Amino acid sequence: METPQRLELGCDALDELLGGGIEHGIITNVYGEAGSGKTNFCIQAVVSCIRSGGKAVFIDTEGGFSAERFLQMHDDEAALERLIMHEPTTFEEQKGVFDDLPQVVANELPDMIVVDSLVSLYRLNLNGETAQEINTELSTQFSTLSKLAREHDLPVIVTNQVYSQFDSDENVMVGRDIPAYWSKTLLELEKVRNGKRRATVQKHRSRPEGITTDFFITQDSLTSAEGTQDESVPGADRMKIF
Ligand code: ATP
Ligand code: MG
């Protein structure tokens, strides 16, 4: 058994927090409130993968990916061609993308997979069809990702929205136990004061739970924030999402 390979993000604070970067072979779930930096985290990871000569599958379910933002972080238009984009707009379309994913990976041999976010279309559907059917499909999609991660030794990043409970300050992941079960790394992002973001390891195979680091989102990257000890603003910027 070897130490897992890691994809360095290129943000020292986050790479150190994760024990060297994003692990290959498992699902890393980056979750947090709107604007906490999930999509920026994904783009930085993809940029890092492409910079080292790789290509990435990027499943964007909410139009969050921006070529303009990508080019701010990596000024090379040709690099965009090393992104294999899928943009489902319904959970049914997302199911189709996941049904085809093993074939896409076999044909294109990508170096990583990103799903931003896995649960936004799922959430919209929960009102319609039976919750059990939708939950089963979400588990199937996680299972597909987990298998691909293992079989091809790929880093897989999924993002996850959260909602706040009425009686608690804790953010709960949309999909609850399903993402928590399938993701070997859970990384929570929060907004803190003055534009700062905080990342907390909530689950990891080889890092202690609860360790945190702070970073900023800047024009060209995610950047370590050193020193200041601002407190999180309880309840700030939370959205009620069900
Ligand atoms: P959502 O749940 O809505 O998808 P998210 O967690 O994906 O949110 P991001 O889109 O990654 O959040 O982060 C949005 C933040 O990134 C905003 O606060 C925005 O101001 C910041 N941001 C975007 N581009 C830049 C930039 N060029 N320089 C500094 N900050 C930026
Ligand atoms: Mg986003």
Side-chain angles (χ1 to χ4, degrees):
M1 205 69 193
E2 289 174 17
T3 312
Q5 273 198 74
R6 282 178 160 86
L7 172 70
E8 280 182 19
L9 275 169
C11 170
D12 290 346
L14 288 168
D15 283 332
E16 199 177 307
L17 188 79
L18 295 169
I22 298 154
E23 279 187 50
H24 289 229
I26 59 152
I27 298 171
T28 294
N29 188 319
V30 180
Y31 71 97
E33 62 195 299
S36 56
K38 302 181 294 296
T39 299
N40 275 275
F41 184 100
C42 292
I43 296 177
Q44 174 130 345
V46 158
V47 162
S48 168
C49 167
I50 286 176
R51 273 211 178 103
S52 58
K55 59 182 177 180
V57 170
F58 199 117
I59 302 171
D60 177 12
T61 67
E62 49 189 19
F65 178 82
S66 148
E68 184 180 356
R69 184 69 184 124
F70 178 95
L71 292 171
Q72 286 171 356
M73 296 170 99
H74 183 55
D75 187 15
D76 174 9
E77 296 231 8
L80 284 166
E81 283 164 27
R82 303 229 290 281
L83 267 183
I84 302 153
M85 293 293 303
H86 294 278
E87 296 166 300
T89 57
T90 63
F91 195 59
E92 192 56 31
E93 277 180 29
Q94 181 172 323
K95 179 178 182 313
V97 169
F98 273 83
D99 290 345
D100 294 346
L101 197 56
Q103 200 55 50
V104 169
V105 170
N107 293 344
E108 303 278 353
L109 298 176
D111 300 278
M112 76 178 306
I113 300 172
V114 174
V115 190
D116 182 25
S117 107
L118 195 52
V119 295
S120 49
L121 301 172
Y122 155 86
R123 195 180 69 211
L124 298 178
N125 250 55
L126 272 182
N127 300 325
E129 299 169 46
T130 65
Q132 192 173 347
E133 213 176 299
I134 298 294
N135 280 337
T136 302
E137 177 54 30
L138 184 66
S139 296
T140 303
Q141 294 184 6
F142 266 110
S143 157
T144 299
L145 287 174
S146 174
K147 193 158 180 272
L148 289 170
R150 250 182 310 143
E151 286 180 358
H152 298 266
D153 196 29
L154 298 175
V156 173
I157 301 174
V158 307
T159 66
N160 214 116
Q161 276 92 1
V162 296
Y163 59 92
S164 52
Q165 290 182 306
F166 294 111
D167 54 353
S168 145
D169 264 356
E170 292 230 332
N171 282 330
V172 179
M173 276 191 284
V174 171
R176 288 173 172 263
D177 297 344
I178 301 171
Y181 172 79
W182 286 102
S183 311
K184 295 283 181 248
T185 293
L186 293 176
L187 185 69
E188 183 172 15
L189 302 186
E190 295 168 279
K191 290 182 183 180
V192 286
R193 283 182 210 283
N194 305 326
K196 202 185 272 187
R197 303 297 193 276
R198 181 158 300 155
T200 305
V201 170
Q202 297 293 10
K203 173 180 172 184
H204 199 286
R205 295 191 297 179
S206 60
R207 304 287 291 156
E209 253 172 49
I211 52 172
T212 70
T213 197
D214 291 351
F215 66 94
F216 287 108
I217 301 171
T218 68
Q219 174 73 4
D220 55 5
S221 64
L222 304 184
T223 308
S224 310
E226 282 162 355
T228 52
Q229 288 290 316
D230 286 338
E231 288 300 307
S232 179
V233 185
D237 305 311
R238 291 236 175 105
M239 282 171 61
K240 299 264 182 238
I241 303 169
F242 295 98

